[in-house]
Amino acid sequence: MLQLVFIETFYRMKKWFQRILFYVVAPGFLSCNQGNTEDYQLVIVNASLLNVKTGVIEKNKSVFIKNGLINKISKTRNSDYSLKNVINAKERLLTPSFIDVHNHLNFIFGDTTEITNPEDFQISRGLLTEEYMPYGVTVVRSAAGRESHIPMERSWMKHHPDYIDYYPSGGALVSLNTQFYNHVYVRDSLEVKSKIEEYSKSGIKHIKVYSLIGEAELNTAIRTAENLDMNIFGHIENAMVSIETACELGLRNFEHVKTLFLDVVKKYETTSMDLSGLPPDDDENWRFREYEVFNFIGTNDPSIMALIMLLKKSKASVTPTLHLYAQPIGLTHPATKIEIHPDDKLNWQGEKLNRAKMGYEVLAALVLKLYKNGIILNTGSDTYEPGKTILSEMLLLNKLGIPMNEVLKIASLNSARSINLEKSYGSIEVGKKAHLILFEESPLNNPLNLLSKKTIIKDGIVWRPL
Ligand SMILES: [Zn+2]
């Protein structure tokens, strides 16, 4: 655990520095007046509140918070200003916080690190939180991880205002022994059932399936998850099971818009269609091949259209993960300041880079088509620096033509709905958790303000680095 000891030392030093900064900068921010009868944990007054359900900005609102929950919302009265624990929003934009529906812990702790010593659980939780909270992401759902991390993930399930709310999913179920650390091999339907029951008993409420699962096993997974009231989602691209089959069996939450193209091209492999123009599907070429598949299929292909209609009819959700395809070819906004990981440095140039950029435009056009057809989109990172990535993803969604108030809804309410947690998160409503963002500058005026200074409120407490 030498690696973690080193990380911890760095982390502690950083925290002390941030703490000193906070005490120097923060006084005066919270005005704590005295002599009032009503006791709220926090009251935000004169806020321009984004109602994500209507897309409307409700001006001059007060949000009253008690026990971490939104207790009351009303028009701001003069007397509100003299309550205890007041933040005067001064007409700034108040939105629900953001959600990442697609995290993998290996992007934070490394592909080989296994954290099994309970003494390290809290340090790791702090590190994970630092990756998200400064960017306004307060809720994170795992999209599969190592089984050896389940004890740690379970310890994080007891929520705490200082840390992000984390929802584990165990390993991704596969019925082919891939030996990949984020996969769990389940031989047959019996094993599928007992694995999901085991997860359920340990408190896990989210089940991930990967395309390398057989149809019978997938059917069992969906039925078992339904019976245990668990949320099931999958990365399906016709490796062993197609999106059409998965949808017909009852899967409703799909990862990566790119899978629609890959699903269709795999279907064409079994027909007489000439696919010889595509790069080979091998270790060296698979990444470039994906962009070329987007170019090859396009957004008007009848099979793609049929999938869109099926997803629409099924009220399915899809996670775009556009950033994953934009970043390696230089299409993300530099202001997001996300370092490109060595694995994503593709160094493509000239015609190859142009072809990839064309491919990205096709992928983005399909995301817009899904949006226009009313398919629920949500935000998932699936990479390094996940908090920053969520903001980058939101900028990319806006860039392709989705209005910013809708993008804010995608990152909050839609994402909460997709992970079956709409009761607690996703909008500023009485009874929901007080997970809020107060923007210094409104992203509705300029999308880049998404990156501007923001006050993050989690469980009714202004979050600051520990
Ligand atoms: Zn993933």
Side-chain angles (χ1 to χ4, degrees), residues 35 45 54 63 105 276:
V45 303
T54 59
V63 179
L105 291 181
S276 59

Side-chain angles (χ1 to χ4, degrees), residues 265 269 278-281 285-293:
V265 87
E269 279 170 11
L278 288 172
D281 192 4
N285 296 291
W286 72 270
R287 287 190 84 141
F288 183 59
R289 184 181 190 273
E290 288 194 342
Y291 292 94
E292 284 291 35
V293 167

Side-chain angles (χ1 to χ4, degrees), residues 117-138:
N117 182 350
E119 285 176 16
D120 295 329
F121 293 174
Q122 207 68 344
I123 301 162
S124 316
R125 192 183 195 185
L127 287 168
L128 183 68
T129 297
E130 294 268 311
E131 286 281 344
Y132 280 109
M133 206 87 93
Y135 311 100
V137 181
T138 62

Side-chain angles (χ1 to χ4, degrees), residues 131-267:
E131 286 281 344
Y132 280 109
M133 206 87 93
Y135 311 100
V137 181
T138 62
V139 180
V140 175
R141 200 273 305 273
S142 164
R146 287 175 188 280
E147 287 221 296
S148 60
H149 282 163
I150 289 178
M152 174 172 73
E153 293 175 295
R154 287 188 65 194
S155 78
W156 298 345
M157 283 162 71
K158 196 169 181 297
H159 293 158
H160 187 286
D162 289 347
Y163 302 94
I164 51 149
D165 287 358
Y166 180 84
Y167 292 89
S169 64
L173 307 184
V174 287
S175 38
L176 197 81
N177 198 356
T178 58
Q179 308 209 329
F180 179 59
Y181 52 80
N182 284 343
H183 288 173
V184 170
Y185 175 42
V186 275
R187 232 167 281 259
D188 52 32
S189 289
L190 270 180
E191 280 198 12
V192 170
K193 191 165 181 283
S194 67
K195 178 52 75 182
I196 296 178
E197 284 169 351
E198 176 196 318
Y199 282 166
S200 176
K201 276 191 195 119
S202 72
I204 292 174
K205 300 284 285 176
H206 301 263
I207 293 294
K208 155 95 169 235
V209 289
Y210 191 64
S211 209
L212 291 167
I213 189 166
E215 191 176 328
E217 289 78 8
L218 177 62
N219 187 32
T220 303
I222 295 169
R223 303 287 83 84
T224 311
E226 271 174 6
N227 287 339
L228 296 168
D229 193 24
M230 297 168 93
N231 176 267
I232 185 162
F233 60 104
H235 175 144
I236 306 291
E237 57 182 44
N238 214 348
M240 280 170 76
V241 63
S242 69
I243 292 176
E244 188 184 348
T245 303
C247 209
E248 278 165 4
L249 291 175
L251 195 70
R252 289 293 173 265
N253 300 298
F254 294 86
E255 297 178 315
H256 310 297
V257 167
K258 65 132 181 184
T259 58
L260 273 66
F261 293 108
L262 300 179
D263 188 272
V264 166
V265 87
K266 286 218 175 91
K267 184 177 131 190

